[in-house]
Amino acid sequence: MLEPGAEVRTWLAPAKINLALHVTGRRADGYHLIDSLAVFTRFGDRLEIEPAEHDEFSVSGRYAAGLPLDGDNLVVKARDALRREAGAQHAPPVAIKLEKNLPIASGVGGGSSDAAAALNSLARLWKLDIDDISLARIGLSLGADLPMCLKSKPLVARGIGDDLSPLPAFPALGLVLVNPSVAVLTPDVFKALSSRDNETLPPLPKRLDFHAVRNWLETTRNDLEAPARSIQPAIGEALKALKRADAAFVRMSGSGATCFGLFETGNVAKRAAIEIRARHPDWFVAATRSMEVTDGEA
């Protein structure tokens, strides 16, 4: 039995950025098929988890307001799903504190990443004998983004987001994330999508560096950007702000409304974020870097 206060773990729930996202079809059950290159950033939400006498869950941070604290929250769902899998005797009570730094319904996988961090952290805290395949199965039952968020490494996701190909090497990218303080619901964006049977992503270049990635991205799309902009025109303003700050490449992530700009170095990204924040103090703006993977690490 774990004693309360015996062990506290802090876990990053990184933002997931879809650098490219092609919608390639639709299944009979309504799920859309995608082909997406995704990376994860050093900025995100944070979970603090420790043993407790009874289960507790609390939320703090800039975007805490309005988040459910009961079984409707994905973190609570993840805790309960893993406990069912492991058996209550192997999964004693825990206190979970979520620091919500990412905007809600913003296309960066915030809720899914929170739940994935909960699954990964609790599996270790409870010392469960559970493999990655089982964790991914539990994750997928909570949402299509969960399997890739459990990996939290550069990858190509296909199918409904559950067919994952981690990349053997991928550089860290300087990024500025911008959300013009609007939320857009994923089902609404897919409903507004005009074409659901688009071509898959082109092959990645053999040698990957900043310039190769940027040039490759120019040959790709986010098929959800146009429908999201039709619902929330402010997305276009965010993209303009990133271009004005001299981003080397700009695009919306996921189903929006968060947009990203690529910058050659972290320092240039920080200066751009300061510039955008000064012009738009009510927006969410964050300079960060994506997590890299070196040869043989995946």
Side-chain angles (χ1 to χ4, degrees):
M1 178 68 70
L2 293 166
E3 293 298 324
E7 189 174 6
V8 180
R9 296 195 177 205
T10 301
W11 209 263
L12 173 68
K16 172 182 66 68
I17 306 301
N18 298 97
L19 295 179
L21 196 163
H22 292 194
V23 178
T24 58
R26 192 179 191 180
R27 295 197 319 197
D29 61 5
Y31 274 101
H32 286 82
L33 303 174
I34 64 164
D35 203 2
S36 179
L37 171 63
V39 296
F40 295 81
T41 71
R42 299 181 183 277
F43 178 84
D45 297 337
R46 290 194 172 272
L47 286 180
E48 188 179 281
I49 304 179
E50 64 179 319
E53 292 183 2
H54 53 83
D55 283 330
E56 300 171 33
F57 178 63
S58 59
V59 185
S60 63
R62 179 177 176 182
Y63 296 100
L67 274 184
L69 299 177
D70 56 11
D72 286 335
N73 192 288
L74 269 176
V75 170
V76 176
K77 287 182 178 179
R79 179 201 69 197
D80 294 347
L82 187 59
R83 180 175 282 145
R84 282 193 299 274
E85 179 83 9
Q89 70 274 23
H90 301 298
V94 285
I96 303 176
K97 297 177 182 175
L98 169 62
E99 181 183 292
K100 193 67 187 164
N101 303 314
L102 293 169
I104 298 161
S106 66
V108 293
S112 296
S113 191
D114 296 341
L119 288 174
N120 276 324
S121 187
L122 288 171
R124 285 158 180 74
L125 182 67
W126 287 335
K127 296 180 171 60
L128 301 181
D129 182 17
I130 188 168
D131 58 22
D132 290 347
I133 293 172
S134 298
L135 270 184
R137 173 177 47 78
I138 297 168
L140 188 59
S141 73
L142 301 172
D145 269 358
L146 262 290
M148 65 179 97
C149 289
L150 281 163
K151 292 285 186 191
S152 291
K153 290 182 176 180
L155 53 82
V156 173
R158 299 183 179 89
I160 62 171
D162 58 333
D163 179 5
L164 306 179
S165 300
L167 299 176
F170 201 82
L173 301 172
L175 295 163
V176 175
L177 312 181
V178 174
N179 187 294
S181 294
V182 296
V184 57
L185 298 177
T186 302
D188 294 345
V189 176
F190 275 105
K191 198 180 294 182
L193 190 62
S194 58
S195 173
R196 293 177 168 81
D197 295 295
N198 304 298
E199 72 275 13
T200 58
L201 291 173
L204 281 162
K206 286 187 171 60
R207 180 176 174 81
L208 288 166
D209 57 22
F210 176 86
H211 298 287
V213 171
R214 183 199 59 199
N215 292 342
W216 180 84
L217 286 174
E218 296 282 2
T219 70
T220 69
R221 307 177 310 280
N222 179 352
D223 287 330
L224 301 182
E225 188 173 308
R229 287 180 69 168
S230 72
I231 296 167
Q232 285 287 5
I235 292 168
E237 295 305 310
L239 293 166
K240 280 183 195 170
L242 285 161
K243 287 177 184 172
R244 186 175 178 182
D246 292 327
F249 180 85
V250 304
R251 178 169 281 164
M252 187 187 82
S253 175
S255 57
T258 303
C259 301
F260 67 87
L262 286 191
F263 294 84
E264 194 154 3
T265 69
N267 285 335
V268 176
K270 286 176 186 173
R271 288 197 294 272
I274 290 168
E275 178 186 320
I276 295 170
R277 203 176 288 117
R279 290 200 179 102
H280 304 280
D282 56 330
W283 286 8
F284 163 82
V285 182
T288 184
R289 287 177 71 76
S290 66
M291 298 180 200
E292 68 181 325
V293 60
T294 55
D295 283 317
E297 209 180 295

